[in-house]
Amino acid sequence: MLTIADQTFSSRLFTGTGKFSSAKEMESALIASASELVTVALKRVDLKGKDDDILQHLKHPHINLLPNTSGVRNAKEAVFAAQLAREALETNWIKLEIHPDPKYLMPDPIETLNATEELVKLGFVVLPYIHADPVLCKRLEDVGTAAVMPLGSPIGSNKGLRTIDFLEIIISQSRVPVIIDAGIGAPSDAAKAMEIGADAVLVNTAIAIAENPTHMAIAFKMAVEAGRMAFESKLGAQTHYAAASSPLTAFLDEEF
Amino acid sequence: MKSFNKVFESYNWDDTKASIYDKTAADVERALRSTQRSLEDFKALISPAALPYLEDMAQMSQRLTLDRFGRVIQMYIPLYLSNECNNICTYCGFSYDNKVRRRTLNPMEIMQEVAVIKEMGYDHVLLVTGEANQSVHTDYFKKVLDLISPHFAHIAMEVQPLDVADYETLIPHGLNTVLVYQETYHQDDYRKHHPKGKKSNFLYRLETPDRLGQAGIHKMGLGVLIGLEDWRTDSFFTALHLSYLEKQYWQSKFSISFPRLRPFSGGLEPKVVMNDKELVQLICAYRLFNSEVELSISTRETVTFRNQVIKLGITAISAGSKTNPGGYQVAPQSLEQFEISDERSAKEIAAMIRKQGYEPIWKDWDRSLIQKSC
């Protein structure tokens, strides 16, 4: 079980709602994924009406909504968007996304830190999307983040864990759950993320743009479970040399 | 002020045109193999030498678009506010010398039009006017934005170029996007097509995206009017402009449109006719050159073409459009800017999009996301 703030999750696969060919197909894939935390962009949903098409298809008892602030460019906008989400969707959980660069959607570390600090004070459970920056992760912990969500590679790129060296450092020293977000393109990437000790992964594009999103969601579900099981079973360390069955220094312990 | 003009001045139209037409099959193949495509690659992809590779380009364009945007198409609709115009543009129905009745919608009429647009399901609207600075000016736009912004998630504008201060004024009132087409980057032809009015100032228009960037606009749309000049050369300059702007104004988003010259009252025959195959080539070339830029197609295009192009790289489409002020409800017979080709309703277009395995997206922005920072 994974615990973030006061919430426990059986599934370590978190999902997104963008890029699907229909709300119905999205619903089918998300159910198949068994995901219990699903992020939804504030800019995509109708915050005034209660009959929004995306939200209608996410009404399942096991699905918790994680509104995200995609589209905002600074801390001030992010805090406002989070307050809007809390009111409209009745959740104090927020996936904080501040990417002033619309081309590669690179997260702004300074604004993200400032917004996290402010949102925590306002009672939010903050899950910030960030670059794989170990120091930033520690700074976010210090201001009370509920988890960190470092990217594996540029968002939507499907390139996998290009930042793995930094992810390993983040995981090794984190006091809060580490959710690898962005860039995971194949179930094997998700399995790898879990094997190195990530607490969860968030996958959207790789599922949404698959030829068969529902089957791909199942593949990711299985990969995340396999990766986690491997991590908990303690994978053997990699070595570049053979471990001799007759050690060359064994004679030192022998009595002469 | 930083300006694209400095970059533009370092290029010569005729030399640029020749370099595009000189591209060979080997240049095209190199461009197709490349992972980071340069402006020279873009030239190869829009050159006649690339036509035999159209299917390859289409397959790659589809894949790149799916990866970046998914199976979704954004829906938008124009709202023509005024057909008053002091410019003479040889290709435009609103041209000053076109002696027909003019009108600018008042607040009540605007809301009547808004009601019809909302009924169609739209949340993204594009406000369009001619250029008549006595009646359609920054104060008018401010009032219109205040009036309609509670009803739309995203508001774009295609009006006369304004100064930085004007754009800065309008953003807090709900302006998200500005479209400003250069029409043609060929300076002499530009003068021929715009003999009178403020629009005759080529440089002021050329530098409008710079002013938008400096004002901090969220998204800007570029494009040329296809038919005025050699479309390959004009499109190269658009790509050059896009590349420059992306580096200068890294916080702005960009879109490209492909308006082909359409008939209108008192019309001009296109100097250059671009066929459907060539338009597909251009759409794919832009996608291969820039996987993030939004590509938009209007109701100028035919039913068949719009049905097919959904899967090739397009990310936004208009439907049910009227190109005259009051066209939806208030004054359906008023002067239109150009004739539309695809007369299908928004509902019919949405059904067509779904049939293609894509989802029509009515809302992909929320004005409240930026309102408080202004």
Side-chain angles (χ1 to χ4, degrees):
Chain A
M1 294 287 259
L2 166 64
T3 302
I4 302 174
D6 55 353
Q7 182 94 25
T8 55
F9 299 92
S10 306
S11 167
R12 291 172 184 270
L13 173 59
F14 299 157
T15 48
T17 49
K19 302 189 178 182
F20 286 94
S21 64
S22 69
K24 207 173 157 193
E25 186 166 81
M26 172 196 79
E27 183 180 27
S28 163
L30 299 189
I31 295 224
S33 75
S35 178
E36 295 161 315
L37 192 63
V38 178
T39 186
V40 55
L42 282 173
K43 63 180 183 173
R44 277 289 302 278
V45 297
D46 180 6
L47 297 171
K48 285 166 265 174
K50 292 284 176 196
D51 56 348
D52 181 84
D53 200 30
I54 295 177
L55 299 179
Q56 288 299 320
H57 285 83
L58 296 175
K59 280 190 174 169
H60 294 278
H62 68 283
I63 290 182
N64 298 281
L65 286 186
L66 177 61
N68 71 59
T69 62
S70 175
V72 306
R73 297 186 287 188
N74 56 46
K76 194 175 175 187
E77 291 174 358
V79 170
F80 179 71
Q83 287 169 321
L84 204 70
R86 178 158 67 180
E87 198 177 321
L89 303 176
E90 295 169 348
T91 173
N92 65 337
W93 284 52
I94 191 81
K95 183 183 175 207
L96 182 60
E97 291 188 29
I98 304 179
H99 30 69
D101 143 41
K103 191 174 168 79
Y104 294 108
L105 306 177
M106 285 293 144
D108 183 324
I110 298 162
E111 296 295 320
T112 302
L113 181 63
N114 291 340
T116 302
E117 185 167 18
E118 179 70 19
L119 288 168
V120 169
K121 283 181 194 158
L122 293 169
F124 282 92
V125 173
V126 186
L127 287 75
Y129 164 59
I130 51 170
H131 214 289
D133 180 341
V135 174
L136 178 61
C137 287
K138 300 313 285 181
R139 295 286 301 266
L140 287 164
E141 278 178 11
D142 291 344
V143 298
T145 193
V148 287
M149 304 187 75
L151 56 81
S153 52
I155 196 165
S157 69
N158 286 342
K159 287 182 175 173
L161 307 183
R162 296 290 173 97
T163 56
I164 191 162
D165 292 348
F166 307 101
L167 294 174
E168 285 177 332
I169 295 170
I170 290 167
I171 290 165
S172 71
Q173 60 184 17
S174 187
R175 298 196 304 265
V176 295
V178 178
I179 304 156
I180 312 295
D181 179 17
I184 289 178
S188 53
D189 298 327
K192 182 73 182 169
M194 300 311 294
E195 285 171 10
I196 65 170
D199 294 282
V201 293
L202 195 147
V203 183
N204 182 181
T205 298
I207 293 174
I209 68 170
E211 196 65 39
N212 187 331
T214 301
H215 282 185
M216 188 60 85
I218 296 168
F220 269 100
K221 172 178 177 281
M222 294 163 76
V224 168
E225 287 169 359
R228 181 64 189 180
M229 198 180 286
F231 172 73
E232 288 173 354
S233 308
K234 307 285 181 213
L235 283 164
Q238 288 182 3
T239 63
H240 291 293
Y241 47 85
S245 52
S246 304
L248 299 175
T249 55
F251 73 96
L252 295 171
D253 297 327
E254 287 174 9
E255 287 182 16
F256 292 97
Chain B
M1 182 181 105
K2 283 182 282 186
S3 160
F4 173 65
N5 189 40
K6 276 196 178 151
V7 180
F8 182 70
E9 277 176 345
S10 65
Y11 285 82
N12 170 285
W13 177 279
D14 292 334
D15 293 347
T16 303
K17 183 177 176 181
S19 74
I20 295 168
Y21 283 82
D22 285 347
K23 292 292 182 193
T24 64
D27 294 323
V28 178
E29 286 175 18
R30 195 177 308 114
L32 290 174
R33 279 198 306 271
S34 174
T35 49
Q36 289 284 325
R37 295 187 181 92
S38 64
L39 281 160
E40 283 305 307
D41 290 328
F42 181 74
K43 279 185 186 170
L45 295 173
I46 57 171
S47 74
L51 270 172
Y53 298 88
L54 195 54
E55 181 57 28
D56 293 334
M57 289 173 66
Q59 298 277 352
M60 292 168 82
S61 175
Q62 183 188 55
R63 191 70 244 165
L64 282 169
T65 310
L66 276 178
D67 289 349
R68 177 65 179 83
F69 296 92
R71 288 190 170 86
V72 298
I73 300 285
Q74 284 190 37
M75 305 289 295
Y76 72 96
I77 192 162
L79 167 53
Y80 278 70
L81 298 170
S82 171
N83 56 17
E84 290 189 65
C85 193
N86 297 332
N87 290 316
I88 292 180
C89 301
T90 58
Y91 49 82
C92 180
F94 292 174
S95 189
Y96 179 74
D97 54 354
N98 198 358
K99 299 295 176 201
V100 286
R101 195 169 164 264
R102 308 287 174 152
R103 73 181 302 151
T104 295
L105 300 185
N106 64 37
M108 201 173 35
E109 292 170 334
I110 291 170
M111 289 316 293
Q112 279 178 265
E113 295 289 282
V114 165
V116 178
I117 288 174
K118 291 300 292 181
E119 190 60 35
M120 292 186 215
Y122 283 101
D123 225 348
H124 291 199
V125 70
L126 168 65
L127 305 177
V128 189
T129 69
E131 178 164 359
N133 289 307
Q134 296 83 357
S135 50
V136 183
H137 39 58
T138 303
D139 279 344
Y140 175 80
F141 298 136
K142 219 189 295 180
K143 282 176 192 151
V144 173
L145 288 168
D146 287 343
L147 189 66
I148 70 165
S149 62
H151 304 281
F152 292 101
H154 182 276
I155 302 175
M157 222 167 69
E158 186 184 343
V159 304
Q160 71 269 33
L162 301 171
D163 292 335
V164 176
D166 294 314
Y167 291 129
E168 283 173 343
T169 304
L170 295 176
I171 290 169
H173 290 267
L175 178 64
N176 303 113
T177 295
V178 174
L179 312 183
V180 57
Y181 305 138
Q182 185 57 34
E183 317 297 12
T184 176
Y185 287 84
H186 190 293
Q187 287 203 58
D188 291 341
D189 267 28
Y190 184 93
R191 267 181 224 114
K192 271 184 230 159
H193 290 295
H194 309 97
K196 190 178 172 296
K198 276 189 83 175
K199 195 171 175 178
S200 60
N201 187 340
F202 177 87
L203 186 62
Y204 187 69
R205 195 164 188 91
L206 188 71
E207 292 181 335
T208 307
D210 278 294
R211 296 196 299 279
L212 286 165
Q214 281 152 25
I217 196 77
H218 176 241
K219 184 159 81 184
M220 56 182 106
L222 309 176
V224 291
L225 183 53
I226 294 167
L228 293 185
E229 244 301 334
D230 177 67
W231 66 263
R232 292 186 166 90
T233 314
D234 256 337
S235 299
F236 167 77
F237 280 109
T238 311
L240 178 72
H241 209 161
L242 173 68
S243 295
Y244 160 85
L245 292 167
E246 276 191 337
K247 287 198 176 71
Q248 291 293 335
Y249 309 105
W250 61 280
Q251 297 202 22
S252 292
K253 290 174 89 167
F254 298 91
S255 70
I256 304 268
S257 300
F258 311 91
R260 286 196 279 190
L261 201 47
R262 291 282 303 154
F264 72 97
S265 162
L268 167 92
E269 281 300 312
K271 177 177 174 183
V272 180
V273 176
M274 174 198 245
N275 63 36
D276 286 358
K277 210 174 196 180
E278 290 169 335
L279 182 49
V280 167
Q281 180 188 2
L282 182 60
I283 290 167
C284 296
Y286 271 120
R287 178 58 66 226
L288 267 58
F289 175 62
N290 187 317
S291 58
E292 287 84 16
V293 71
E294 295 179 11
L295 301 178
S296 173
I297 204 92
S298 76
T299 48
R300 288 170 185 259
E301 301 303 333
T302 63
V303 170
T304 316
F305 188 81
R306 275 161 51 100
N307 287 356
Q308 299 307 319
V309 87
I310 293 290
K311 289 184 170 174
L312 294 179
I314 290 299
T315 60
I317 196 166
S318 54
S321 308
K322 300 291 179 192
T323 71
N324 46 338
Y328 298 107
Q329 175 75 26
V330 175
Q333 301 306 319
S334 69
L335 171 64
E336 60 182 6
Q337 189 184 29
F338 59 87
E339 285 177 24
I340 66 167
S341 184
D342 186 347
E343 305 262 4
R344 287 175 294 179
S345 68
K347 209 172 158 187
E348 286 170 314
I349 292 294
M352 178 274 284
I353 290 170
R354 286 195 195 95
K355 204 173 162 195
Q356 307 270 353
Y358 283 66
E359 180 168 30
I361 297 291
W362 304 90
K363 178 179 185 293
D364 193 29
W365 187 249
D366 200 294
R367 69 190 185 91
S368 56
L369 290 177
I370 57 166
Q371 145 180 291
K372 290 289 167 178
S373 69
C374 299

